[in-house]
Amino acid sequence: MKRHRSRLYLVGVLLLTACATPPPPASIPMPIAAERNGLDAFVLGGRFSIRHDGKSYVGQLTWRHDGARDELLLSSPFGQGLAEIVSDTGGARLTSSDGRSQTAASADELLQSALAYPLSLSQLLGWLRGWSPADGKIARDALGRPLHLSHEDWRIDYDYDSDDPQALPGRLFVEREGGFTLRLRIDEWQQLPGGTSSDATR
């Protein structure tokens, strides 16, 4: 029951942000300092909109990924922290803005139990890298970058802010049959020191 109340609280807060108008983006774009072949340790900052079960949610996110550790902060369109997920090999914890918390074996399990979204952090990481599962299909643009990716009932489209062949996507459009959609506008990519490029060129 406690977990159910926490889930309803978090979903309710996110729902309230859907009616807010996001502030205009900064006139000077944030730096993009990472490349696909080094995307193992990074910080990502951006804005998202999600539509699921007839409801829309908008907000900001900051995602720090470093090997097996992830730190994901979800905020309102105006930057007010709503929830933070921290996960590593020992498990995952979600903490909401009022201090309530719940734990799970992984960040993927927390995202689905807390928000009931059919999307996992590990899926999103693979899509950002442009990795295609063995049974998936990927189309590339003239520069060799991921352009369209389809896997099972998911479709992912990519958009870029530069003509650099190694550029990371500036926008990600994710759709799943059944009504789930995610729009992610990435304002900042920063590669962390010590990041490795192993296995990042699939």
Side-chain angles (χ1 to χ4, degrees):
M1 181 63 69
K2 181 178 180 182
R3 175 177 295 182
H4 181 65
R5 288 198 300 269
S6 297
R7 171 179 163 185
L8 290 177
Y9 171 82
L10 181 56
V11 172
V13 173
L14 286 173
L15 180 59
L16 288 176
T17 70
C19 300
T21 302
S27 58
I28 301 176
M30 300 295 288
I32 296 183
E35 295 183 340
R36 273 199 315 281
N37 62 6
L39 194 61
D40 187 67
F42 63 85
V43 176
L44 175 157
R47 291 160 281 152
F48 68 88
S49 65
I50 289 175
R51 185 168 182 80
H52 183 54
D53 285 343
K55 300 181 178 64
S56 297
Y57 310 94
V58 297
Q60 301 181 33
L61 65 85
T62 301
W63 181 9
R64 181 186 177 95
H65 172 79
D66 191 357
R69 182 175 177 84
D70 287 288
E71 300 173 11
L72 181 67
L73 176 64
L74 302 176
S75 305
S76 74
F78 299 99
Q80 179 183 6
L82 300 176
E84 181 182 38
I85 294 176
V86 177
S87 68
D88 54 27
T89 55
R93 177 181 296 273
L94 183 149
T95 304
S96 57
S97 58
D98 67 346
R100 299 181 185 181
S101 65
Q102 64 184 88
T103 60
S106 67
D108 291 354
E109 184 178 325
L110 268 180
L111 281 174
Q112 295 187 33
S113 64
L115 300 178
Y117 292 160
L119 175 68
S120 71
L121 206 60
S122 56
Q123 279 179 312
L124 186 56
L125 178 61
W127 294 337
L128 289 170
R129 287 168 163 167
W131 290 6
S132 176
D135 56 344
K137 297 180 180 179
I138 188 166
R140 301 183 183 275
D141 64 14
L143 298 175
R145 305 174 302 189
L147 188 61
H148 307 291
L149 173 62
S150 59
H151 177 236
E152 296 177 345
D153 54 355
W154 291 97
R155 176 183 172 86
I156 301 92
D157 296 317
Y158 299 81
D159 191 24
Y160 299 87
D161 295 324
S162 80
D163 293 330
D164 183 349
Q166 273 295 318
L168 290 163
R171 294 177 179 84
L172 208 65
F173 308 93
V174 178
E175 294 184 347
R176 187 187 190 188
E177 293 180 10
F180 179 88
T181 62
L182 166 66
R183 301 291 184 263
L184 178 60
R185 176 56 169 126
I186 303 168
D187 297 314
E188 180 180 13
W189 283 104
Q190 290 292 333
Q191 189 169 338
L192 296 175
T196 176
S197 61
S198 62
D199 297 330
T201 56
R202 299 182 190 177

